[in-house]
PDB file of all heavy atoms in Angstrom:
ATOM      1  N   GLY A  62     -22.673  -9.881   0.878  1.00  0.00           N
ATOM      2  CA  GLY A  62     -23.791  -9.718   1.796  1.00  0.00           C
ATOM      3  C   GLY A  62     -23.546  -8.818   2.985  1.00  0.00           C
ATOM      4  O   GLY A  62     -24.386  -8.751   3.895  1.00  0.00           O
ATOM      5  N   THR A  73     -17.365   8.131   4.363  1.00  0.00           N
ATOM      6  CA  THR A  73     -17.941   7.708   5.635  1.00  0.00           C
ATOM      7  C   THR A  73     -18.856   6.518   5.369  1.00  0.00           C
ATOM      8  O   THR A  73     -19.639   6.526   4.422  1.00  0.00           O
ATOM      9  CB  THR A  73     -18.744   8.835   6.295  1.00  0.00           C
ATOM     10  OG1 THR A  73     -17.884   9.956   6.497  1.00  0.00           O
ATOM     11  CG2 THR A  73     -19.318   8.396   7.632  1.00  0.00           C
ATOM     12  N   ALA A  90     -17.807 -15.349  -9.367  1.00  0.00           N
ATOM     13  CA  ALA A  90     -16.457 -14.799  -9.503  1.00  0.00           C
ATOM     14  C   ALA A  90     -16.452 -13.341  -9.049  1.00  0.00           C
ATOM     15  O   ALA A  90     -17.342 -12.568  -9.398  1.00  0.00           O
ATOM     16  CB  ALA A  90     -15.970 -14.902 -10.941  1.00  0.00           C
ATOM     17  N   LYS A 203       7.750  -4.834   7.828  1.00  0.00           N
ATOM     18  CA  LYS A 203       7.315  -5.155   9.188  1.00  0.00           C
ATOM     19  C   LYS A 203       6.318  -4.164   9.765  1.00  0.00           C
ATOM     20  O   LYS A 203       5.381  -4.562  10.473  1.00  0.00           O
ATOM     21  CB  LYS A 203       8.541  -5.277  10.099  1.00  0.00           C
ATOM     22  CG  LYS A 203       8.219  -5.661  11.531  1.00  0.00           C
ATOM     23  CD  LYS A 203       9.486  -5.784  12.365  1.00  0.00           C
ATOM     24  CE  LYS A 203       9.173  -6.105  13.819  1.00  0.00           C
ATOM     25  NZ  LYS A 203      10.421  -6.196  14.637  1.00  0.00           N
ATOM     26  N   GLU A 207       2.700  -4.640  12.186  1.00  0.00           N
ATOM     27  CA  GLU A 207       2.392  -3.924  13.425  1.00  0.00           C
ATOM     28  C   GLU A 207       1.069  -3.166  13.289  1.00  0.00           C
ATOM     29  O   GLU A 207       0.262  -3.127  14.222  1.00  0.00           O
ATOM     30  CB  GLU A 207       3.535  -2.968  13.757  1.00  0.00           C
ATOM     31  CG  GLU A 207       4.851  -3.692  14.071  1.00  0.00           C
ATOM     32  CD  GLU A 207       6.048  -2.763  14.132  1.00  0.00           C
ATOM     33  OE1 GLU A 207       5.933  -1.628  13.602  1.00  0.00           O
ATOM     34  OE2 GLU A 207       7.088  -3.154  14.685  1.00  0.00           O
ATOM     35  N   LYS A 232     -11.294 -18.796  18.458  1.00  0.00           N
ATOM     36  CA  LYS A 232     -12.680 -18.435  18.779  1.00  0.00           C
ATOM     37  C   LYS A 232     -12.805 -17.076  19.469  1.00  0.00           C
ATOM     38  O   LYS A 232     -13.712 -16.845  20.262  1.00  0.00           O
ATOM     39  CB  LYS A 232     -13.326 -19.542  19.611  1.00  0.00           C
ATOM     40  CG  LYS A 232     -13.347 -20.886  18.873  1.00  0.00           C
ATOM     41  CD  LYS A 232     -13.984 -21.987  19.683  1.00  0.00           C
ATOM     42  CE  LYS A 232     -13.955 -23.298  18.909  1.00  0.00           C
ATOM     43  NZ  LYS A 232     -14.516 -24.431  19.662  1.00  0.00           N
ATOM     44  N   HIS A 295      -1.104  15.963  14.311  1.00  0.00           N
ATOM     45  CA  HIS A 295      -1.772  15.591  13.062  1.00  0.00           C
ATOM     46  C   HIS A 295      -1.122  16.207  11.818  1.00  0.00           C
ATOM     47  O   HIS A 295      -1.778  16.327  10.789  1.00  0.00           O
ATOM     48  CB  HIS A 295      -3.269  15.940  13.107  1.00  0.00           C
ATOM     49  CG  HIS A 295      -3.962  15.441  14.333  1.00  0.00           C
ATOM     50  ND1 HIS A 295      -4.022  14.100  14.649  1.00  0.00           N
ATOM     51  CD2 HIS A 295      -4.597  16.106  15.330  1.00  0.00           C
ATOM     52  CE1 HIS A 295      -4.681  13.954  15.787  1.00  0.00           C
ATOM     53  NE2 HIS A 295      -5.031  15.141  16.223  1.00  0.00           N
ATOM     54  N   MET A 319      10.329   4.516  -3.063  1.00  0.00           N
ATOM     55  CA  MET A 319      10.324   4.919  -4.469  1.00  0.00           C
ATOM     56  C   MET A 319      10.497   6.426  -4.609  1.00  0.00           C
ATOM     57  O   MET A 319      11.121   6.911  -5.557  1.00  0.00           O
ATOM     58  CB  MET A 319       9.032   4.471  -5.135  1.00  0.00           C
ATOM     59  CG  MET A 319       8.871   2.973  -5.246  1.00  0.00           C
ATOM     60  SD  MET A 319       7.316   2.535  -6.037  1.00  0.00           S
ATOM     61  CE  MET A 319       7.620   3.108  -7.706  1.00  0.00           C
ATOM     62  N   PHE A 368      18.195  -3.932  -5.161  1.00  0.00           N
ATOM     63  CA  PHE A 368      18.601  -2.563  -4.836  1.00  0.00           C
ATOM     64  C   PHE A 368      18.631  -1.716  -6.099  1.00  0.00           C
ATOM     65  O   PHE A 368      18.624  -2.224  -7.229  1.00  0.00           O
ATOM     66  CB  PHE A 368      19.979  -2.533  -4.166  1.00  0.00           C
ATOM     67  CG  PHE A 368      21.133  -2.800  -5.107  1.00  0.00           C
ATOM     68  CD1 PHE A 368      21.757  -1.764  -5.802  1.00  0.00           C
ATOM     69  CD2 PHE A 368      21.587  -4.102  -5.315  1.00  0.00           C
ATOM     70  CE1 PHE A 368      22.800  -2.014  -6.679  1.00  0.00           C
ATOM     71  CE2 PHE A 368      22.642  -4.366  -6.189  1.00  0.00           C
ATOM     72  CZ  PHE A 368      23.247  -3.316  -6.873  1.00  0.00           C
TER      73      PHE A 368
END
Side-chain angles (χ1 to χ4, degrees):
T73 302
K203 182 179 177 181
E207 295 169 342
K232 300 180 181 178
H295 310 300
M319 294 180 69
F368 74 89

